[in-house]
Amino acid sequence: MTDAASPAERYRAAAVRNATPRLQEFRARQRFDLDPFQLEACERIEQGSSVLVAAPTGAGKTIVAEFAIALAMHGARGKVFYTTPMKALSNQKFQELTAEYGSEHVGLLTGDTNVNGNARIVVMTTEVLRNMLYADSDALTDLAFVVMDEVHYLADRFRGAVWEEVIIHLPQSVRMVSLSATVSNAEEFGDWLQAVRGDTAVIVSEERPVPLTQHVLMRNKLVDLFAAPSLADTHQVNPELVRMAQFGGRAPNSRQYKDVSRYNQRRAPHRTEKLDRGHFVQMLDDHHLLPAIFFVFSRVGCDQAVKQVLRSGIRLTEAHERDEIRQIVDERCRTLLDEDLAVLGYWEWLDGLERGVAAHHAGLLPAFKEVVEELFRRKLVKVVFATETLALGINMPARTVVLEKLEKFNGEARVPITPGEYTQITGRAGRRGIDVEGHAVIQWTEGLHPQSVASLASRRTYPLNSSFRPTYNMAVNLIDQFGRQRTRQILESSFAQFQADRAVVGIARKVREQESSLAGYERSMSCHLGDFIEYAGIRRELTDLERKGEPNGSRASKDRRQRKLAELRKRMRAHACHVCPHREDHARWAERWFKLKKQTDQLRQQIQTRTGAVTRVFDRVVDVLLEYEYLTRDEHGVVVVAAPGRTLKRIYGERDLLVAECLRTGAWNELDAASLAAMAAAIVYEPRREEQNTPERFLPRGPFRSALERTQDIWSRLDDSEREHRLPGSNPISTGLSLAMHQWAKGANLDTVLIEAELAAGDFVRWCKQTIDLLDQLRIVDGPVGRTSRQALDSIRRGIVAYSSL
């Protein structure tokens, strides 16, 4: 508080200090003083509220979570669960908190990793916490805070529902610290949190701690996107950039300025020559703009970019840095088998690291990605070529972020990146306490319009929309815990329904407005001779039939049309309004009335569709479960969980009911460990779009093939049943990974398996981890599958998969 503060402001500041002694202690220990939004959030936490903090990437949201942890640890027993959307983020947070509080106080739970799970601070993926809540785990005792990092992930199409399940089911005594990227509807999300969790403060900041300067690279020149940083919010593009764009990236001479339009007519525009990546990196180094992250949006593109830069002969490191790099790599990779190093491209990767250049994408071995992250944070690696997964929370800030293109492949087509994605990506630019400003560089390509780039860069927010939908596992867990009626009420409190209901309010308001307009149109077309709406209806029907023309069908159909036309003309001429002198005036109002009536009816249909949308899907899910006897009715007609439903309660994932049905029918009872691993891989594997069905000769031999046939029959029956109950159904299972997983479980070497799978090492490890997740669920099932799954787990957790377990 400055000397210029008023007495009232000084009094308030003193009152806050006195009311928040823990915050004052915490604040004194920080390297930087807290920003206003951080102070406000921490004050509200110490005063007993939950908080939702929405702020840009790199703004320092996690300091709020760290204060909540410090507050809990100040007491004798309070516990904190720190949830993240990805295992990589969980691992990173675990390491940071262990360094802060010591290994005895910090645990890690990520599905396939269990480290000190009873600690007072436990880092976990959100799915692990959801499973704990459904199991009513003892670990929830003394839970004081749950941190939900990257809570905007609840918009994720595949996994977003888990966030809502956690928020709804956490005990009311537990306070939540929700951290989100800047979203345009933070207040709406906060209103929902307030409704389901109680007292929740919404703190929104749009200020970046390090200002962002945005540039466009045109040919070999960096041009500012905006005429001045202060003009970013007004979309005022730098005039020099506009002129250069008109001349294909070249700066036109003064004579050309005189008549740009004639110049463009006279000569075809120049093609913009893209700067070679090696020269690009050198230019950034010359401008003191390293370290930099290049976002390429393609794994292959990332790897090729590294090779291209290395071919140019660039070396960005000093001798002492290369020694440190080798030391770190040796330490982190010492457990890798010598025979696997060549398969993993270790020597080429190490050469790139020693020269300060690396790739970062999901195809890399997790251990390699972790090394790249550490070396980049230590400023030893200066340039990283990355896909957008790096933008999702990993702590790797850079001085400069480069976007080579403003579009990416979304699995189906090339689409422009969204303003939200742009904000996430450029949020990496600017290191707090190191950089005075961050830099974003967009590489110019032919056809890129400066104004559209400026618009993308100026819009800093995006909406948070729910992706919540009831699942079979969710249904049996909730019905077992609360009963069907209470479950319906719980689902009605989801953010999905909250948003739908809010949308209904807006639609209903529009319906009322249009109903008022319809009444006005009716008055304008009111006829003293009769019902003009009825008359106009006959005219419209007649006009529509005349416009359709003669049908191509039989003589009988043509005769029917003629008779209908004659009947309508007779009715029209006989109607009292036909002779009204103001008939055509009335008819114009009637046409407007009919169009607006159609729109209004469609809006009313939307209201009916949205109201209770979540519970309607839930009811259909329940109907399928009743049909397959996972649920049943007791003597009073009340829906309860049947014996097979007890197994389904413990199966999580996209194919929960298929897995449960295979267990119930004994379809997998004859499988050995390797075959069960291959089957689990078929359940979780999502093939690439162009991937073909696997011919039978490329499937594992032995019991796998007959078990697969039974599994496919079960899937087909379930799919038919889902579609009959107006549920979307699911894709057929894919066996593209099954043979490779079978070979791996049998002890095949890494080279053989990667060739068979046609996968990068990182992808293979990722699918192995998902296979392990499913086998881990099967491990607790009674009977032969439970025993076999334990053997399958041991056979898969080896080599690079075991090394990547953390």
Side-chain angles (χ1 to χ4, degrees):
M1 187 65 62
T2 64
D3 294 337
S6 69
E9 287 172 328
R10 289 199 297 272
Y11 176 80
R12 182 192 174 280
V16 167
R17 283 196 299 273
N18 293 334
T20 56
R22 301 282 85 81
L23 173 57
Q24 304 316 314
E25 293 171 13
F26 178 79
R27 187 177 178 182
R29 296 197 301 267
Q30 304 308 307
R31 286 172 51 222
F32 306 102
D33 194 17
L34 302 190
D35 291 337
F37 86 90
Q38 295 168 327
L39 274 174
E40 183 184 357
C42 293
E43 285 169 10
R44 296 301 297 268
I45 288 172
E46 188 162 357
Q47 291 163 3
S49 298
S50 293
V51 294
L52 165 65
V53 181
T57 302
K61 296 184 286 292
T62 54
I63 200 79
V64 180
E66 288 164 15
F67 174 66
I69 293 170
L71 201 59
M73 294 299 284
H74 190 270
R77 299 168 60 185
K79 292 165 66 175
V80 180
F81 287 171
Y82 195 112
T83 73
T84 75
M86 295 185 295
K87 292 177 183 179
L89 290 179
S90 293
N91 296 336
Q92 185 173 299
K93 204 71 214 174
F94 170 68
Q95 290 159 7
E96 291 172 7
L97 290 170
T98 298
E100 174 78 14
Y101 290 98
S103 57
E104 70 276 16
H105 292 303
V106 185
L108 176 68
L109 298 173
T110 60
D112 58 350
T113 302
N114 185 337
V115 178
N116 199 15
N118 293 317
R120 289 184 61 187
I121 306 166
V122 185
V123 184
M124 61 184 69
T125 51
T126 318
E127 282 86 351
V128 169
L129 178 53
R130 186 272 311 272
N131 299 352
M132 279 186 180
L133 290 167
Y134 280 163
D136 198 19
S137 168
D138 292 339
L140 298 168
T141 306
D142 295 323
L143 184 59
F145 290 99
V146 164
V147 177
M148 301 202 80
D149 204 353
E150 309 277 342
V151 75
H152 51 273
Y153 240 84
L154 69 74
D156 184 79
R157 187 161 59 100
F158 299 105
R159 300 171 56 218
V162 177
W163 274 256
E164 292 190 46
E165 291 177 74
V166 167
I167 291 166
I168 291 168
H169 295 305
L170 266 179
Q172 288 296 316
S173 59
V174 178
R175 283 186 282 158
M176 281 184 50
V177 177
S178 304
L179 308 178
S180 171
T182 309
V183 292
S184 52
N185 60 335
E187 287 76 11
E188 178 189 43
F189 184 49
D191 288 347
W192 175 67
L193 288 173
Q194 181 87 21
V196 295
R197 302 293 317 160
D199 183 17
T200 302
V202 179
I203 292 101
V204 177
S205 172
E206 306 220 17
E207 293 297 316
R208 284 178 51 96
V210 180
L212 180 68
T213 301
Q214 305 187 70
H215 318 273
V216 176
L217 178 71
M218 303 197 77
R219 296 169 66 84
N220 59 356
K221 183 178 181 182
L222 277 179
V223 185
D224 287 346
L225 176 57
F226 299 104
S230 60
L231 298 177
D233 292 334
T234 64
H235 296 207
Q236 291 189 31
V237 182
N238 183 353
E240 181 189 3
L241 179 64
V242 176
R243 289 192 292 270
M244 290 183 73
Q246 290 173 325
F247 290 88
R250 291 175 170 81
N253 60 41
S254 57
R255 185 168 45 188
Q256 289 167 340
Y257 280 142
K258 294 177 182 176
D259 193 347
V260 169
S261 61
R262 278 196 293 118
Y263 175 88
N264 285 338
Q265 289 168 11
R266 199 167 58 246
R267 297 175 57 183
H270 293 284
R271 290 189 61 80
T272 308
E273 297 167 16
K274 288 185 70 172
L275 192 63
D276 172 83
R277 285 192 179 105
H279 291 116
F280 195 166
V281 169
Q282 189 62 59
M283 184 190 70
L284 293 178
D285 194 22
D286 294 343
H287 284 77
H288 306 290
L289 293 177
L290 296 183
I293 301 172
F294 284 66
F295 285 93
V296 181
F297 302 129
S298 152
R299 299 176 186 185
V300 173
C302 290
D303 294 334
Q304 288 175 343
V306 170
K307 290 175 183 174
Q308 188 182 57
V309 171
L310 295 181
R311 279 198 305 270
S312 73
I314 272 186
R315 187 181 296 279
L316 302 170
T317 53
E318 304 290 338
H320 69 91
E321 292 176 315
R322 292 192 285 279
D323 291 340
E324 192 176 348
I325 288 167
R326 276 192 295 274
Q327 183 180 344
I328 291 169
V329 172
D330 287 346
E331 171 65 24
R332 296 287 183 273
C333 298
R334 67 183 187 280
T335 58
L336 289 175
L337 300 175
D338 289 345
E339 67 205 54
D340 290 343
L341 295 181
V343 180
L344 296 169
Y346 174 85
W347 305 110
E348 297 87 345
W349 173 69
L350 178 59
D351 178 48
L353 294 179
E354 290 185 2
R355 290 164 64 179
V357 183
H360 188 289
H361 55 71
L364 279 180
L365 190 67
F368 285 11
K369 281 197 294 184
E370 290 161 17
V371 168
V372 171
E373 290 159 18
E374 181 176 352
L375 294 178
F376 193 80
R377 284 195 293 270
R378 292 194 185 199
K379 306 175 205 162
L380 296 169
V381 163
K382 323 288 185 178
V383 173
V384 169
F385 292 91
T387 55
E388 76 268 30
T389 53
L390 190 146
L392 298 173
I394 298 288
N395 180 23
M396 277 181 67
R399 176 166 292 169
T400 303
V401 161
V402 177
L403 289 94
E404 293 197 346
K405 291 183 179 176
L406 292 179
E407 63 176 21
K408 65 174 187 175
F409 186 69
N410 68 356
E412 296 179 358
R414 298 208 68 83
V415 296
I417 65 170
T418 66
E421 289 166 334
Y422 184 90
T423 302
Q424 282 278 92
I425 288 167
T426 56
R428 295 273 150 230
R431 299 162 300 173
R432 192 170 190 170
I434 301 174
D435 298 319
V436 176
E437 61 183 7
H439 298 267
V441 179
I442 297 157
Q443 189 159 18
W444 186 261
T445 54
E446 208 69 48
L448 202 59
H449 196 283
Q451 191 59 55
S452 63
V453 177
S455 176
L456 180 72
S458 302
R459 292 175 56 198
R460 297 177 180 270
T461 59
Y462 56 102
L464 180 61
N465 293 314
S466 172
S467 60
F468 184 85
R469 59 181 177 81
T471 65
Y472 297 111
N473 169 273
M474 185 194 302
V476 292
N477 273 290
L478 292 178
I479 288 172
D480 196 41
Q481 204 166 355
F482 303 109
R484 182 176 187 173
Q485 198 53 42
R486 172 78 179 116
T487 294
R488 292 179 101 257
Q489 293 169 4
I490 288 169
L491 295 178
E492 284 170 354
S493 69
S494 66
F495 187 45
Q497 193 57 57
F498 185 84
Q499 287 192 304
D501 290 343
R502 284 213 163 179
V504 163
V505 170
I507 295 170
R509 187 185 306 116
K510 192 168 184 180
V511 166
R512 287 195 298 275
E513 291 169 359
Q514 293 190 180
E515 283 174 341
S516 176
S517 298
L518 286 169
Y521 293 169
E522 282 186 48
R523 288 192 295 274
S524 297
M525 67 178 172
S526 175
C527 180
H528 66 289
L529 297 176
D531 183 347
F532 201 87
I533 290 178
E534 181 183 68
Y535 174 72
I538 298 169
R539 278 179 52 146
R540 281 176 67 87
E541 190 177 356
L542 177 62
T543 302
D544 289 345
L545 192 57
E546 287 173 339
R547 282 177 180 162
K548 284 180 183 175
E550 284 281 343
N552 294 325
S554 64
R555 180 68 190 172
S557 63
K558 293 177 180 177
D559 288 345
R560 279 196 300 275
R561 177 178 179 275
Q562 289 303 321
R563 285 196 297 274
K564 184 65 175 176
L565 285 169
E567 178 199 341
L568 288 170
R569 288 173 183 139
K570 182 179 178 181
R571 285 175 59 199
M572 182 183 71
R573 287 192 292 268
H575 199 284
C577 293
H578 190 62
V579 295
C580 176
H582 306 293
R583 182 183 70 195
E584 294 311 310
D585 268 350
H586 295 333
R588 281 190 286 274
W589 285 108
E591 192 59 31
R592 294 177 190 173
W593 184 90
F594 276 111
K595 284 182 180 177
L596 191 60
K597 176 73 164 56
K598 183 178 179 181
Q599 291 175 13
T600 307
D601 288 344
Q602 289 171 342
L603 291 174
R604 288 196 186 101
Q605 183 61 39
Q606 282 186 42
I607 291 173
Q608 290 178 358
T609 302
R610 293 186 182 211
T611 305
V614 176
T615 49
R616 270 201 303 279
V617 174
F618 169 72
D619 288 338
R620 292 167 191 166
V621 165
V622 168
D623 288 342
V624 172
L625 292 172
L626 284 167
E627 179 185 335
Y628 279 84
E629 299 180 345
Y630 286 86
L631 297 174
T632 187
R633 296 183 188 277
D634 65 13
E635 64 272 17
H636 306 295
V638 176
V639 173
V640 294
V641 176
R646 304 285 164 198
T647 301
L648 179 55
K649 279 181 64 178
R650 301 197 296 263
I651 306 297
Y652 303 93
E654 288 287 306
R655 298 188 184 274
D656 47 8
L657 186 56
L658 174 62
V659 172
E661 190 66 358
C662 288
L663 293 172
R664 185 173 75 90
T665 59
W668 299 344
N669 284 0
E670 305 304 317
L671 292 174
D672 56 29
S675 298
L676 184 59
M679 184 62 70
I683 295 294
V684 301
Y685 183 58
E686 294 169 13
R688 295 182 290 269
R689 194 167 63 114
E690 69 280 3
E691 200 168 306
Q692 303 295 316
N693 289 331
T694 311
E696 187 173 331
R697 67 181 183 277
F698 295 124
L699 295 175
R701 297 185 180 280
F704 177 84
R705 296 188 183 186
S706 55
L708 176 64
E709 194 174 323
R710 289 194 294 274
T711 303
Q712 288 170 329
D713 287 343
I714 292 168
W715 169 80
S716 182
R717 288 200 303 275
L718 285 174
D719 191 61
D720 289 345
S721 182
E722 286 173 330
R723 295 182 193 280
E724 284 169 13
H725 288 92
R726 289 179 295 154
L727 290 168
S730 60
N731 293 324
I733 33 185
S734 174
T735 53
L737 188 60
S738 294
L739 183 56
M741 191 64 70
H742 190 271
Q743 291 172 334
W744 181 250
K746 283 282 193 182
N749 64 41
L750 180 62
D751 192 19
T752 301
V753 170
L754 293 184
I755 291 170
E756 174 58 48
E758 295 183 353
L759 288 176
D763 289 322
F764 179 68
V765 168
R766 180 164 56 90
W767 288 119
C768 280
K769 287 184 173 183
Q770 294 198 32
T771 302
I772 285 168
D773 282 348
L774 177 54
L775 290 170
D776 206 43
Q777 295 169 40
L778 301 180
R779 182 173 54 83
I780 57 175
V781 174
D782 293 331
V785 172
R787 291 190 297 273
T788 309
S789 64
R790 290 190 281 275
Q791 298 166 12
L793 281 166
D794 291 338
S795 68
I796 294 176
R797 280 198 186 116
R798 65 180 186 85
I800 61 169
V801 178
Y803 180 77
S804 303
S805 62
L806 263 187

